Amino acid sequence: MVFQAAARMTPGGGDHGQELTDLLEVLKAIADVHGHSWRHVERVAAAKRAERGAFAARLYLH
């Protein structure tokens, strides 16, 4: 599911709302399986962003 949704998100491919929604739901399910609320994941992400910065450069490694 994750790889299929990500593969459909090509640059200039238009609106990626459906694929992003699919990815978000998969990530939420993974967090739940591992005993974490989505709110907890967001707090950890915010702390990492504050410490290390955000993904502002949007560099992709191929």
Side-chain angles (χ1 to χ4, degrees), residues 3-26:
F3 295 114
Q4 292 128 343
R8 289 189 297 267
M9 294 181 58
T10 58
D15 180 20
H16 295 108
Q18 292 295 320
E19 286 79 15
L20 289 169
T21 300
D22 291 345
L23 290 169
L24 180 60
E25 291 304 317
V26 169

Side-chain angles (χ1 to χ4, degrees), residues 4-50:
Q4 292 128 343
R8 289 189 297 267
M9 294 181 58
T10 58
D15 180 20
H16 295 108
Q18 292 295 320
E19 286 79 15
L20 289 169
T21 300
D22 291 345
L23 290 169
L24 180 60
E25 291 304 317
V26 169
L27 291 172
K28 286 182 175 183
I30 291 169
D32 186 55
V33 164
H34 290 280
H36 301 289
S37 69
W38 190 248
R39 187 175 193 143
H40 170 75
V41 172
E42 289 178 326
R43 282 194 303 267
V44 171
K48 281 182 79 172
R49 241 185 333 273

